[in-house]
Amino acid sequence: MHIFGPYGRYPLSPGRGYTPPEASIAMYREMLSTIGLTRTVVVQPSIYGTDNAVSLDAVATLGADRARAVVVVDDSFDVPALRAMGERGACGVRFNAVSGNGTPLEQLEALGEKLGVLGWHLQLYTHAEEMVALEHVLARLPCPVVIDHMGGVKAAEGGTESAGFKAMIRLLERGAWAKLCGYRSSAAGAPYADVAAMARAMIAAAPERCVWGTDWPHPSCTARRRCRMTACCWTRSERGRRGTTSARRSWPTTRRGFTASELLPPARRQA
Protein backbone atom coordinates (compact mmCIF):
# COMPACT_ATOMS: atom_id res chain seq x y z
CA MET A 1 0.00 0.00 0.00
CA HIS A 2 0.95 3.65 -0.35
CA ILE A 3 0.20 6.82 1.59
CA PHE A 4 -0.33 10.07 -0.34
CA GLY A 5 -0.22 13.23 1.74
CA PRO A 6 -1.32 15.31 3.40
CA TYR A 7 0.46 17.38 0.77
CA GLY A 8 0.79 20.36 3.05
CA ARG A 9 3.04 18.28 5.29
CA TYR A 10 4.59 15.98 2.68
CA PRO A 11 5.21 18.00 -0.51
CA LEU A 12 5.27 16.12 -3.80
CA SER A 13 8.48 15.59 -5.75
CA PRO A 14 8.86 17.93 -8.74
CA GLY A 15 9.98 14.95 -10.84
CA ARG A 16 6.83 12.88 -10.24
CA GLY A 17 4.97 11.34 -13.16
CA TYR A 18 1.45 11.86 -11.82
CA THR A 19 -0.46 13.63 -9.05
CA PRO A 20 -2.94 11.39 -7.23
CA PRO A 21 -5.62 12.50 -4.77
CA GLU A 22 -4.59 12.35 -1.13
CA ALA A 23 -4.90 8.94 0.54
CA SER A 24 -4.53 9.21 4.29
CA ILE A 25 -3.75 6.75 7.05
CA ALA A 26 -7.28 7.27 8.38
CA MET A 27 -8.70 6.24 5.00
CA TYR A 28 -6.40 3.23 4.90
CA ARG A 29 -7.44 2.13 8.38
CA GLU A 30 -11.08 2.25 7.30
CA MET A 31 -10.28 -0.07 4.40
CA LEU A 32 -8.35 -2.42 6.71
CA SER A 33 -11.28 -2.68 9.09
CA THR A 34 -13.58 -3.44 6.17
CA ILE A 35 -11.59 -6.37 4.80
CA GLY A 36 -10.12 -7.54 8.11
CA LEU A 37 -6.37 -7.20 7.60
CA THR A 38 -4.06 -6.24 10.46
CA ARG A 39 -0.53 -6.14 8.99
CA THR A 40 0.86 -3.60 6.55
CA VAL A 41 3.82 -3.07 4.24
CA VAL A 42 4.04 0.62 3.33
CA VAL A 43 5.69 1.02 -0.08
CA GLN A 44 7.27 4.35 -0.96
CA PRO A 45 5.38 5.82 -3.95
CA SER A 46 7.16 7.40 -6.90
CA ILE A 47 5.52 10.79 -6.29
CA TYR A 48 7.94 11.33 -3.38
CA GLY A 49 11.18 10.18 -4.99
CA THR A 50 13.81 9.36 -2.36
CA ASP A 51 12.20 11.48 0.37
CA ASN A 52 10.85 8.62 2.48
CA ALA A 53 9.37 10.70 5.30
CA VAL A 54 5.74 9.92 4.44
CA SER A 55 6.32 6.15 4.41
CA LEU A 56 8.49 5.98 7.52
CA ASP A 57 6.09 8.25 9.42
CA ALA A 58 3.24 5.97 8.34
CA VAL A 59 5.02 3.01 9.95
CA ALA A 60 5.38 5.00 13.16
CA THR A 61 1.69 5.92 13.11
CA LEU A 62 0.45 2.42 12.30
CA GLY A 63 2.87 0.91 14.82
CA ALA A 64 6.12 -1.00 14.46
CA ASP A 65 4.31 -4.12 15.68
CA ARG A 66 2.08 -4.14 12.60
CA ALA A 67 3.86 -2.23 9.81
CA ARG A 68 7.10 -2.21 7.82
CA ALA A 69 8.33 0.02 4.99
CA VAL A 70 9.89 -0.49 1.58
CA VAL A 71 11.79 2.70 0.77
CA VAL A 72 13.24 4.29 -2.36
CA VAL A 73 16.91 5.29 -2.32
CA ASP A 74 19.75 5.77 -4.76
CA ASP A 75 23.45 4.96 -4.55
CA SER A 76 24.14 8.11 -2.54
CA PHE A 77 22.65 6.37 0.52
CA ASP A 78 25.33 4.49 2.42
CA VAL A 79 24.81 1.51 4.72
CA PRO A 80 24.62 3.61 7.93
CA ALA A 81 21.87 5.75 6.33
CA LEU A 82 19.96 2.61 5.39
CA ARG A 83 20.42 1.20 8.89
CA ALA A 84 18.94 4.39 10.33
CA MET A 85 15.85 3.86 8.18
CA GLY A 86 15.81 0.23 9.27
CA GLU A 87 15.47 1.40 12.86
CA ARG A 88 12.28 3.15 11.73
CA GLY A 89 10.83 0.05 10.09
CA ALA A 90 12.38 -0.12 6.62
CA CYS A 91 13.33 -3.61 5.42
CA GLY A 92 13.56 -3.29 1.64
CA VAL A 93 14.27 -0.97 -1.28
CA ARG A 94 12.04 -0.48 -4.31
CA PHE A 95 13.11 0.14 -7.89
CA ASN A 96 10.27 1.55 -10.01
CA ALA A 97 11.00 1.69 -13.74
CA VAL A 98 7.35 2.18 -14.73
CA SER A 99 5.96 5.25 -12.97
CA GLY A 100 8.93 7.56 -13.46
CA ASN A 101 10.95 9.39 -10.81
CA GLY A 102 12.60 6.12 -9.76
CA THR A 103 16.17 5.03 -9.08
CA PRO A 104 18.03 4.18 -12.32
CA LEU A 105 18.16 0.44 -13.00
CA GLU A 106 21.92 0.80 -13.53
CA GLN A 107 22.19 1.05 -9.73
CA LEU A 108 20.59 -2.36 -9.08
CA GLU A 109 23.82 -4.20 -8.41
CA ALA A 110 25.46 -1.51 -6.26
CA LEU A 111 22.39 -1.18 -4.06
CA GLY A 112 21.86 -4.94 -4.07
CA GLU A 113 25.27 -5.34 -2.44
CA LYS A 114 24.26 -2.97 0.37
CA LEU A 115 20.95 -4.77 0.85
CA GLY A 116 22.77 -8.07 1.11
CA VAL A 117 24.84 -6.67 3.98
CA LEU A 118 21.68 -5.53 5.77
CA GLY A 119 19.58 -8.62 5.03
CA TRP A 120 16.99 -6.45 3.22
CA HIS A 121 15.16 -7.33 0.04
CA LEU A 122 15.00 -5.55 -3.32
CA GLN A 123 11.58 -4.93 -4.82
CA LEU A 124 11.37 -4.37 -8.58
CA TYR A 125 8.52 -2.85 -10.57
CA THR A 126 9.37 -2.91 -14.25
CA HIS A 127 7.98 -3.50 -17.72
CA ALA A 128 7.89 -7.09 -18.94
CA GLU A 129 10.57 -6.54 -21.59
CA GLU A 130 12.93 -5.16 -18.95
CA MET A 131 12.45 -8.35 -16.95
CA VAL A 132 14.12 -10.24 -19.79
CA ALA A 133 17.06 -7.86 -19.92
CA LEU A 134 17.53 -7.90 -16.14
CA GLU A 135 17.06 -11.62 -15.52
CA HIS A 136 20.74 -12.48 -15.11
CA VAL A 137 21.46 -9.38 -13.01
CA LEU A 138 18.60 -10.18 -10.64
CA ALA A 139 19.61 -13.83 -10.39
CA ARG A 140 23.06 -12.96 -9.04
CA LEU A 141 22.07 -10.30 -6.52
CA PRO A 142 23.11 -11.16 -2.93
CA CYS A 143 19.70 -10.20 -1.52
CA PRO A 144 16.15 -11.51 -1.87
CA VAL A 145 14.30 -10.15 -4.91
CA VAL A 146 10.55 -9.38 -4.88
CA ILE A 147 9.01 -8.94 -8.34
CA ASP A 148 6.21 -6.39 -8.27
CA HIS A 149 2.85 -6.51 -10.07
CA MET A 150 3.26 -9.91 -11.75
CA GLY A 151 6.43 -8.79 -13.50
CA GLY A 152 4.66 -6.08 -15.46
CA VAL A 153 3.35 -8.78 -17.81
CA LYS A 154 0.06 -7.96 -19.58
CA ALA A 155 -2.49 -10.66 -20.33
CA ALA A 156 -3.23 -9.05 -23.68
CA GLU A 157 0.44 -8.92 -24.65
CA GLY A 158 1.35 -12.58 -24.55
CA GLY A 159 0.55 -13.45 -20.94
CA THR A 160 2.10 -16.78 -19.97
CA GLU A 161 3.69 -17.15 -23.41
CA SER A 162 5.54 -13.85 -23.32
CA ALA A 163 9.31 -13.69 -22.89
CA GLY A 164 8.92 -11.46 -19.83
CA PHE A 165 6.65 -13.94 -18.08
CA LYS A 166 8.99 -16.85 -18.81
CA ALA A 167 11.92 -14.84 -17.42
CA MET A 168 9.92 -14.16 -14.25
CA ILE A 169 9.08 -17.85 -13.86
CA ARG A 170 12.76 -18.76 -14.15
CA LEU A 171 13.58 -16.22 -11.44
CA LEU A 172 10.84 -17.63 -9.20
CA GLU A 173 12.25 -21.11 -9.67
CA ARG A 174 15.65 -19.76 -8.57
CA GLY A 175 14.33 -18.24 -5.35
CA ALA A 176 12.73 -14.89 -6.18
CA TRP A 177 9.42 -13.75 -4.72
CA ALA A 178 6.51 -12.20 -6.65
CA LYS A 179 3.42 -10.19 -5.86
CA LEU A 180 0.08 -11.25 -7.29
CA CYS A 181 -1.67 -8.03 -8.28
CA GLY A 182 -3.84 -8.93 -11.21
CA TYR A 183 -5.72 -5.75 -12.03
CA ARG A 184 -2.70 -4.04 -13.58
CA SER A 185 -2.07 -7.05 -15.84
CA SER A 186 -5.69 -7.47 -16.86
CA ALA A 187 -7.26 -6.19 -20.09
CA ALA A 188 -10.70 -7.62 -19.32
CA GLY A 189 -11.22 -5.93 -15.96
CA ALA A 190 -13.12 -7.33 -12.99
CA PRO A 191 -13.22 -10.18 -12.11
CA TYR A 192 -9.81 -10.36 -13.90
CA ALA A 193 -10.26 -13.86 -15.29
CA ASP A 194 -7.73 -13.15 -18.03
CA VAL A 195 -4.84 -13.18 -15.53
CA ALA A 196 -5.84 -16.44 -13.83
CA ALA A 197 -3.51 -18.56 -15.95
CA MET A 198 -0.61 -16.25 -15.10
CA ALA A 199 -1.35 -16.44 -11.39
CA ARG A 200 -1.63 -20.23 -11.46
CA ALA A 201 1.68 -20.58 -13.26
CA MET A 202 3.42 -18.28 -10.79
CA ILE A 203 2.01 -20.17 -7.82
CA ALA A 204 3.02 -23.49 -9.36
CA ALA A 205 6.58 -22.21 -9.78
CA ALA A 206 6.95 -20.83 -6.24
CA PRO A 207 3.97 -21.64 -3.98
CA GLU A 208 5.79 -20.41 -0.89
CA ARG A 209 6.99 -17.15 -2.44
CA CYS A 210 3.92 -15.70 -4.15
CA VAL A 211 2.26 -13.07 -2.02
CA TRP A 212 -0.73 -10.76 -2.26
CA GLY A 213 -1.33 -7.16 -1.25
CA THR A 214 -4.06 -4.60 -1.77
CA ASP A 215 -2.02 -2.01 -3.75
CA TRP A 216 -4.26 0.50 -1.98
CA PRO A 217 -5.21 3.18 -2.99
CA HIS A 218 -4.82 1.76 -6.53
CA PRO A 219 -3.09 4.80 -8.05
CA SER A 220 -3.36 3.56 -11.64
CA CYS A 221 -7.17 3.35 -11.48
CA THR A 222 -9.87 5.91 -12.09
CA ALA A 223 -11.84 7.03 -9.02
CA ARG A 224 -14.80 4.78 -9.83
CA ARG A 225 -12.63 1.76 -10.54
CA ARG A 226 -10.57 2.51 -7.43
CA CYS A 227 -13.68 2.08 -5.29
CA ARG A 228 -14.46 -1.23 -6.99
CA MET A 229 -10.90 -2.41 -6.45
CA THR A 230 -11.02 -1.69 -2.71
CA ALA A 231 -14.34 -3.46 -2.43
CA CYS A 232 -13.08 -6.62 -4.13
CA CYS A 233 -9.57 -6.74 -2.63
CA TRP A 234 -10.32 -9.35 -0.05
CA THR A 235 -12.71 -11.50 -2.09
CA ARG A 236 -10.06 -11.87 -4.80
CA SER A 237 -7.38 -12.86 -2.30
CA GLU A 238 -9.69 -15.40 -0.70
CA ARG A 239 -10.27 -17.06 -4.06
CA GLY A 240 -6.54 -17.58 -4.54
CA ARG A 241 -6.08 -18.67 -0.94
CA ARG A 242 -8.31 -21.72 -1.29
CA GLY A 243 -5.97 -23.40 -3.71
CA THR A 244 -2.52 -22.61 -2.30
CA THR A 245 -0.58 -21.93 0.85
CA SER A 246 1.16 -18.97 -0.76
CA ALA A 247 -1.24 -16.36 0.57
CA ARG A 248 -0.51 -17.59 4.08
CA ARG A 249 3.13 -16.63 3.73
CA SER A 250 4.62 -13.26 4.42
CA TRP A 251 7.29 -12.07 2.00
CA PRO A 252 10.76 -11.29 3.35
CA THR A 253 9.18 -9.22 6.15
CA THR A 254 8.72 -12.50 8.02
CA ARG A 255 12.23 -11.97 9.32
CA ARG A 256 11.28 -8.53 10.63
CA GLY A 257 8.74 -9.73 13.19
CA PHE A 258 5.74 -10.61 11.04
CA THR A 259 4.57 -14.18 11.41
CA ALA A 260 2.66 -15.87 8.61
CA SER A 261 -0.55 -16.26 10.62
CA GLU A 262 -0.55 -12.60 11.65
CA LEU A 263 -0.87 -11.56 8.02
CA LEU A 264 -4.28 -13.26 7.85
CA PRO A 265 -7.54 -11.65 8.97
CA PRO A 266 -8.64 -12.85 12.43
CA ALA A 267 -11.33 -15.15 11.02
CA ARG A 268 -8.80 -16.95 8.82
CA ARG A 269 -5.93 -17.43 11.26
CA GLN A 270 -5.05 -20.97 12.16
CA ALA A 271 -3.94 -22.17 15.57
Side-chain angles (χ1 to χ4, degrees):
M1 58 81 76
H2 315 282
I3 296 296
F4 302 146
Y7 294 148
R9 180 176 179 184
Y10 302 104
L12 297 168
S13 167
R16 68 189 182 279
Y18 66 102
T19 302
E22 290 190 0
S24 68
I25 292 176
M27 295 164 64
Y28 176 67
R29 280 175 164 160
E30 182 178 359
M31 187 275 293
L32 282 185
S33 67
T34 299
I35 65 176
L37 295 178
T38 59
R39 300 291 179 173
T40 297
V41 178
V42 183
V43 178
Q44 171 78 352
S46 65
I47 60 170
Y48 286 111
T50 59
D51 181 353
N52 294 279
V54 67
S55 298
L56 295 173
D57 286 354
V59 170
T61 301
L62 292 167
D65 60 331
R66 63 181 298 174
R68 296 291 184 272
V70 175
V71 295
V72 173
V73 302
D74 56 31
D75 58 8
S76 68
F77 287 70
D78 58 17
V79 170
L82 295 174
R83 282 204 176 101
M85 287 192 283
E87 292 174 0
R88 299 180 62 189
C91 62
V93 166
R94 188 192 202 201
F95 278 76
N96 182 343
V98 175
S99 306
N101 209 31
T103 305
L105 294 176
E106 292 75 18
Q107 297 183 20
L108 271 172
E109 292 187 272
L111 279 169
E113 292 290 335
K114 296 176 184 179
L115 302 185
V117 171
L118 295 168
W120 289 19
H121 69 273
L122 184 148
Q123 179 177 321
L124 178 66
Y125 180 29
T126 186
H127 297 288
E129 56 270 22
E130 291 167 320
M131 188 63 60
V132 178
L134 293 171
E135 178 182 356
H136 296 298
V137 173
L138 297 171
R140 63 175 179 259
L141 290 178
C143 61
V145 172
V146 179
I147 300 168
D148 221 345
H149 297 302
M150 302 181 82
V153 178
K154 305 297 184 184
E157 298 174 7
T160 58
E161 297 304 312
S162 68
F165 188 83
K166 292 177 180 179
M168 176 175 59
I169 291 295
R170 289 191 293 269
L171 287 166
L172 287 174
E173 291 172 342
R174 296 181 67 168
W177 298 63
K179 292 200 283 184
L180 302 171
C181 187
Y183 80 95
R184 291 176 183 262
S185 295
S186 174
Y192 314 106
D194 56 334
V195 300
M198 292 167 53
R200 292 191 188 103
M202 293 168 67
I203 291 167
E208 303 299 309
R209 296 189 306 281
C210 288
V211 296
W212 173 86
T214 64
D215 195 35
W216 188 91
H218 321 297
S220 66
C221 294
T222 62
R224 182 174 181 180
R225 191 180 178 210
R226 191 176 296 120
C227 293
R228 292 177 62 197
M229 281 303 305
T230 299
C232 75
C233 274
W234 183 240
T235 58
R236 299 302 167 219
S237 72
E238 281 291 272
R239 180 176 297 175
R241 186 162 296 168
R242 293 174 189 144
T244 178
T245 61
S246 64
R248 292 189 173 93
R249 295 284 179 174
S250 68
W251 57 339
T253 54
T254 308
R255 296 171 298 172
R256 317 291 189 269
F258 284 21
T259 64
S261 64
E262 286 172 331
L263 291 168
L264 291 171
R268 298 290 297 180
R269 292 178 189 165
Q270 297 184 354

